[in-house]
């Protein structure tokens, strides 16, 4: 391999060569050959970046230990949907969850993280965090259907860039806007990613219904005959087939830091699943007590209002 | 799923409340905390403390993490679709329909954008690459779909067969009634003819041209032209073997069974009263019957 020449070196060489009257060699950049004037024009237009915007998002996907099979499959499905993710080993996290995870993310060189935490083998919590200093969100995941269910019949290219659709009420409030931005960055495949495939054949749906974020993934299927041309009249015949997975996110808290930090938002309607289970048990426990109470009440009532003596009581007596 | 149902009922009850300025609702929420223990569906809207809503902090963080303003749409690929009406969470079909329409709208918009930019959008049918679900899985899906279709078809067929049977029965009943009516009519006509003849005093000769006899056209003694099975005495199948004349699988079944187990043999012609058997006295009185002497013959 030849010696790597720094940019500055080539610059000085060219400047000296200018005097000789030879035509300038076009400057060589990562994106191809560029003439000097063009480079100057570009740098003039966006002074903050000397190159075009490149999405270098990398997501780290991990889970906690003792995760359920269903949720593990969900995590694997998510890994297959995002070609810009890195799957990591299970995290044994009890006490210092935030620190461990932050370290792991730095180690892998990722910029965001999806952490699937399963509690009591029953409840799945999803943490979505932007790594170095970004906000993080904790969701409770409900209504999980994985891609392996035979009812979800669609299929699409692995790694093709998805179209992200958001319902209108993402703009209604600040915390929804923040969530939308995080979702775009995490779930959207970067444009010229190595593992991404060219065409767009699936759509993600994120919509807010009843203060929950519902996720759906559909395959775009249009019957078109020509091999490469786009559809001519087929826009009306476009159908969507569901690919999966499906889940529903209930935001619990938004933190300012990554996996910690001051709380920015707390969902007032969130009830933890433990509380729900406790309530149900209490209801059931109350049944017997209620019955006993009802019995004693009836007895008191009977004692206090004695019946009139029945005229016909002795009719059939022997 | 049960968990979600419970949660959604809990949340649905609060859907009426506005969650934008939760601080104002605090007074209302605190009054409900007392009735918490009695109600089943509890409105747990943070009765004791204010839910944190740091709007400025949120917006600040948003500014922090957003991409620069002049990023092309191609990087984000995000579309905002406005929903016109509120969807009830518990109505599965409506909810899924809403999601579907949202996706469809989004795809149409994206498609138009792509067309205006001149970029390829859909996958051409000859582009083969790794798919997100394996071929084996897709075959299972196909198998299940086919099985479903077959079930539906079978149910249809069974229903049709039942209907056809019912109709056939009705038609048969009609035919029997027709026949009985016809018979009755003919008898009536004979009686009438006799009466008429009696009344008009038996004229000689068969010149009854005035009388219109319904039964004289000679058709009364005609039976239906359908062949009745002529059963031969030794036929085990009761006449049905020749009837269809090789009707589909029955004949094939019969033939295969015949070839395997041999033809059953004629029915019961072992003992019969024919001329030969009557005159056959080989089995009688062989060499003096050694019977009971005391028995009167």
């Amino acid at each position: 391999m030849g010696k790597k020449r720094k940019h500055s070196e080539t610059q000085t060489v060219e400047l000296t060569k200018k005097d000789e009257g030879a035509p300038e060699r076009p400057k060589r950049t990562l994106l191809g050959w560029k003439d000097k004037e063009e480079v100057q024009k570009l740098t003039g237009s966006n002074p903050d970046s000397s190159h075009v915007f490149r999405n270098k998002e990398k997501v780290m996907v991990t889970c906690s230990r003792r995760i359920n099979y269903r949720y593990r499959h969900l995590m694997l499905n998510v890994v297959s949907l995002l070609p810009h993710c890195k799957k990591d080993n299970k995290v044994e996290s009890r006490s210092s969850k935030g620190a461990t995870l932050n370290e792991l993310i730095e180690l892998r060189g990722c910029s965001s993280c999806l952490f699937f935490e399963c509690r009591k083998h029953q409840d799945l919590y999803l943490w979505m965090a932007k790594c170095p200093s970004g906000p993080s969100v904790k969701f409770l995941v409900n209504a999980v259907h994985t891609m392996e269910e035979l009812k979800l019949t669609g299929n699409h290219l692995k790694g093709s860039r998805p179209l992200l659709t958001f319902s209108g009420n993402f703009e209604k409030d600040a915390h929804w806007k923040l969530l939308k931005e995080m979702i775009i960055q995490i779930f959207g495949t970067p444009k010229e990613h190595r593992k991404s495939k060219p065409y767009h054949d699936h759509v993600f749906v994120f919509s807010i219904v009843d203060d929950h974020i519902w996720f759906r993934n559909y395959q775009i299927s249009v019957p078109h005959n020509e091999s490469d041309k786009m559809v001519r009249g087929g826009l009306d015949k476009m159908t969507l087939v569901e690919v999966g997975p499906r889940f529903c996110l209930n935001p619990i808290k938004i933190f300012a830091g990554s996996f910690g930090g001051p709380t920015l938002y707390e969902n007032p309607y969130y009830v933890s699943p433990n509380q729900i289970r406790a309530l149900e048990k209490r209801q059931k426990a109350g049944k017997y007590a209620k019955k006993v109470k009802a019995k004693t009440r009836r007895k008191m009532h009977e004692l206090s209002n004695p019946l009139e003596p029945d005229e016909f009581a002795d009719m059939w007596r022997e | 799923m049960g968990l979600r149902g419970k949660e959604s009922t809990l949340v649905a009850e609060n859907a009426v409340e506005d969650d934008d300025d939760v601080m104002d609702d605090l007074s209302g929420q605190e009054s409900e905390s007392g009735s918490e223990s009695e109600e089943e569906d509890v409105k747990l809207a943070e009765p004791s403390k204010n839910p944190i809503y740091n709007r400025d902090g949120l917006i600040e963080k948003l500014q922090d993490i957003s991409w620069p303003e002049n990023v092309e749409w191609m990087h984000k690929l995000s579309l905002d679709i406005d929903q016109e009406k509120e969807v009830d969470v518990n109505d599965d079909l409506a909810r899924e329909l809403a999601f579907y329409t949202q996706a469809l709208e989004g795809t149409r918009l994206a498609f138009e954008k792509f067309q205006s930019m001149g970029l390829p959008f859909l996958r051409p049918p000859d582009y083969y690459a790794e798919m997100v679900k394996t071929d084996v899985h897709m075959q299972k899906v196909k198998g299940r779909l086919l099985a479903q279709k077959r079930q539906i078809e079978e149910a249809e067929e069974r229903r049709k067969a039942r209907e056809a049977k019912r109709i056939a029965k009705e038609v048969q009943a009609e035919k029997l009634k027709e026949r009985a009516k016809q018979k009755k009519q003919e008898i009536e006509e004979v009686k009438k003819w006799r009466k008429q003849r009696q009344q008009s005093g038996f004229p000689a000769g068969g010149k009854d041209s005035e009388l219109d006899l319904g039964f004289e056209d000679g058709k009364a003694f005609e039976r239906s032209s359908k062949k009745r099975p002529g059963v031969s005495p030794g036929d085990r199948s009761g006449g049905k073997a020749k009837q269809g004349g090789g009707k589909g699988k029955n004949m094939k079944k019969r033939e295969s069974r015949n070839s395997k187990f041999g033809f059953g043999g004629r029915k019961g012609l072992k003992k019969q009263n024919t001329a030969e058997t009557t005159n056959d006295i080989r089995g009688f009185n062989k060499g003096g019957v050694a019977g009971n002497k005391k028995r009167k013959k």
Side-chain angles (χ1 to χ4, degrees), chain B residues 18-113:
Chain B
D18 190 11
D19 72 327
D20 259 0
D21 280 332
V22 196
M23 323 292 195
D24 295 340
D25 290 341
L26 195 51
S27 48
Q29 291 157 11
E30 283 208 25
S31 64
E32 287 165 16
S33 62
S35 58
E36 243 186 67
S37 50
E38 291 191 17
E39 288 181 19
E40 279 185 20
D41 295 339
V42 182
K43 294 189 187 183
L44 291 175
E46 294 294 303
S48 44
K49 55 189 195 295
N50 304 344
I52 301 176
Y53 201 108
N54 189 349
R55 205 168 255 132
D56 301 323
L58 287 168
I59 294 183
E60 203 187 307
K61 273 294 167 186
L62 180 59
Q63 304 291 341
D64 275 346
I65 61 169
S66 315
W67 289 336
E69 286 294 315
N70 51 1
V71 166
E72 296 171 4
W73 177 77
M74 274 303 288
H75 288 279
K76 282 205 229 179
L77 285 185
S78 78
L79 299 135
D80 287 322
I81 314 296
D82 249 328
Q83 294 169 324
E84 288 89 36
K85 59 186 192 64
E86 279 293 309
V87 184
D88 179 23
V89 195
N90 296 323
D91 185 5
D92 288 339
L93 205 56
R95 197 184 62 217
E96 297 299 321
L97 196 62
F99 297 150
Y100 186 88
T101 39
Q102 186 183 327
L104 207 56
E105 270 301 309
T107 325
R108 292 224 174 102
L109 284 174
F111 181 66
E112 277 157 25
K113 278 195 188 173

Side-chain angles (χ1 to χ4, degrees), chain B residues 229-280:
Chain B
V231 190
S232 63
D235 195 355
R236 254 180 216 275
S237 67
K240 305 281 184 191
K242 264 220 228 154
Q243 227 184 18
K247 193 172 127 170
K249 58 179 181 186
N250 288 336
M251 248 345 232
K252 265 197 242 170
K253 244 197 198 163
R254 188 75 270 162
E255 276 172 28
S256 73
R257 293 229 172 120
N258 274 351
S259 61
K260 208 168 163 191
F261 303 113
F263 167 59
R266 298 183 58 84
K267 197 150 99 173
L269 302 179
K270 294 206 186 89
K271 298 189 184 169
Q272 263 190 336
N273 260 345
T274 57
E276 296 108 44
T277 60
T278 322
N279 297 331
D280 189 4

Side-chain angles (χ1 to χ4, degrees), chain B residues 179 221-229:
Chain B
R179 262 192 230 142
F221 288 109
E222 261 184 41
R223 300 268 186 250
S224 71
S225 56
K226 275 201 254 183
K227 262 176 78 171
R228 256 145 121 245

Side-chain angles (χ1 to χ4, degrees), chain A residues 176-192:
Chain A
W176 296 127
K177 283 192 216 167
L178 181 63
L179 285 176
K180 178 177 167 182
E181 188 62 35
M182 289 180 74
I183 288 174
I184 291 178
Q185 292 188 6
I186 291 182
F187 281 90
T189 308
K191 189 156 158 227
E192 279 126 20

Side-chain angles (χ1 to χ4, degrees), chain A residues 109-150:
Chain A
C110 292
S111 62
S112 34
C113 174
L114 283 175
F115 176 56
F116 290 85
E117 179 183 6
C118 181
R119 287 289 186 87
K120 287 194 175 179
H121 257 316
Q122 279 173 358
D123 320 315
L124 180 66
Y125 298 94
L126 170 64
W127 288 83
M128 223 189 254
K130 296 286 297 170
C131 177
S133 62
S136 51
V137 200
K138 182 176 182 188
F139 296 104
L140 173 67
V141 184
N142 289 331
V144 170
H145 294 262
T146 59
M147 277 201 303
E148 279 86 13
E149 298 196 0
L150 294 179

